[in-house]
Amino acid sequence: MTKQDSKNKIIEDSKNFSLFSWSAQASVNPLAIEKAHGVYLYDYDGNKIIDFSSGLMSVNIGHGDPRVTDAITEQMQSVSYVTPSCTTEIRAKLSKKLSEICPGDLNKAFFTLCGTSSIDNAIKLARLYTGRHKIIGRYRAFHGGSIGGMSVGGDPRKLANDSQQMPNAIHLDDPYYFFNLKNLDHDTCLSLSLDYVERIIHFEGKENIAAMIFEGESGSSGCLHYPEGYLKGVKKLCEKYGILFIADEVMSGFGRTGKWFGFEHHDIIPDMICMAKGLTSSYLPLGCLMVSDRIAEKFNTTPLMIGLTYNAHPVCLAAALRVIEIYEEDNLIQNAQKMGAYIEQKINDMRALHPSMGNFRNKGLLGCLEVLKNKKTGTLIAPYNASGDDLKISNRIAAKIRELGMYTFVRWGYIFVAPPLTINKQEIDEGLAIISEALKISDSLIE
C-alpha cells in the first residue's frame, strides 16, 4: 500500500467509524498526520506543516520530545495504574512540585482527566465549601465541553445544548464594552465595570453565589484582554462577599502567557486554579484542580465528595512532572516572553503591507489577530458567532493558510497566533510569512 493509499484509508476509516468535535460530519476534512516534531506536523504526503496554535493551544513544549516518552515508559514499567485511594511516588512528587510553582497557599492538588473535568470539580467543590449554589462566569469565555463547563461559559458552541444547561449559572458581559465609551478616562471606565459586577452580585443575592470563574487570560473568544485593574477589582469583590475566585488556566497556564499562570499578570491569587493542556503539553490527558489550604481544611473532617476513576493516574502524572521540568530546564517561559515580543514587532512591521490587519492582542505566546472588512469602522470579516455566508472570507483565509502549510485557528474574524513555547525567530518568520500571504485575500476586499 502506498502512502497515499494509507492516508486515504486513515481518513476514510476515521470518518466512517469516529465522530469529530464541533463539526457537521459530512464536511470534515482532517489532516492525516504521520509524525510530529518540534513546531512541525508531517502528513502522509510528506508535507511539513508549521503548527502555529500548538495543537489546541496546548503542546507547549513542542511535539515529540523524547524526554517525556522516556518518563512515561519508566513509570509504566513500575506502576501503570492504582486506584485513587492508593498513592505512588509520582503522585507525591508532582503534587509537591505544583505547590511550589503555585503562589500563596494553593498547595493541594486534585487530579482530573482534562480541563473541563477540572472546571466541573471546581464548581462542585465551590458549592460544597460555601453551601451556596450560583456560579458567575462571562459570556465571552470558554470553560470546556461538559454540561457544567459549557453552562458557566458563554461560548456560542453551547447554544445547541441550551436545553440541558446546568442551573444557577449566571453570566457577566465583558468590561471590553465599557471601554468603548468615549470621553471617559481609565479610572472611570474601570469603576463602571466593577460597579456592574457588584450590581449583578446584589441582583443574584450575595448569599447565593459560591464562586466566580475567569480565564487567567482570555483565549478562544479572541484574546480579549482584561482592562488594567479589572481582575484585581473582581477579586476584591469576591473577598467582600465571601465568594470564591476560580482561575481557569487550562489554556493560559504553564508559560503560555510568559508566566506560569495568566492571572499572575493581574496581581491576584485565586482560591482555585483549573489546569490541563500545558500541564502535560497534551502528551497524555490530565487535568488538575489546585485548591487553597483554607478550602482543603474544611475536608479534613468532612468527606470530600468528588472522585474519578483515573484521579492521579500515575502515567499521566509522570508526563506532567517531566514536562514541568522541561519548562524549567529549557527556559521556555522566558522564551515565551521573548518570542511574544518578537511576534508583536513583526506583526507591526506587516501593517504597512496589509490594510485589512486590525488589532493584535497578545500576551506571551497567546495571540489573536483581527482581520478587518472595513478599516474605517473596524468591522471584522466575520462577526462574533458568525455562521453561513458570514464566514465566506474567513473560510477562504483558513483554506489558504492550510494550503500554504500551516495549522492554526481561524475563527470568525480572528487568526490565532499561539505556537509552541520552543519556537524561534526563524520559525516565527516562516509562520508570519504564510499569514501575510493569506491576508492578501482580505486586503483585496477591504472597504
Side-chain angles (χ1 to χ4, degrees), residues 151-202:
S151 297
V152 297
D155 187 285
R157 282 173 286 184
K158 78 173 192 172
L159 296 177
N161 296 289
D162 259 5
S163 64
Q164 303 170 49
Q165 277 195 87
M166 178 189 77
N168 298 306
I170 313 302
H171 295 91
L172 297 173
D173 206 346
D174 291 309
Y176 183 81
Y177 287 119
F178 288 103
F179 281 71
N180 282 334
L181 294 175
K182 296 180 179 178
N183 304 317
L184 293 178
D185 59 34
H186 176 274
D187 289 346
T188 302
C189 290
L190 180 61
S191 178
L192 287 170
S193 298
L194 294 174
D195 286 349
Y196 164 68
V197 175
E198 190 164 22
R199 196 157 58 248
I200 296 300
I201 290 171
H202 286 298

Side-chain angles (χ1 to χ4, degrees), residues 75 82-98 109-111 304 311-315 317-318 321:
Q75 181 61 49
V82 290
T83 68
S85 60
C86 299
T87 193
T88 56
E89 181 182 17
I90 192 61
R91 179 176 183 167
K93 284 184 174 180
L94 179 60
S95 301
K96 184 178 180 182
K97 185 64 177 177
L98 287 170
F110 179 81
F111 294 107
L304 178 63
N311 168 244
H313 193 288
V315 181
L317 302 189
L321 182 60

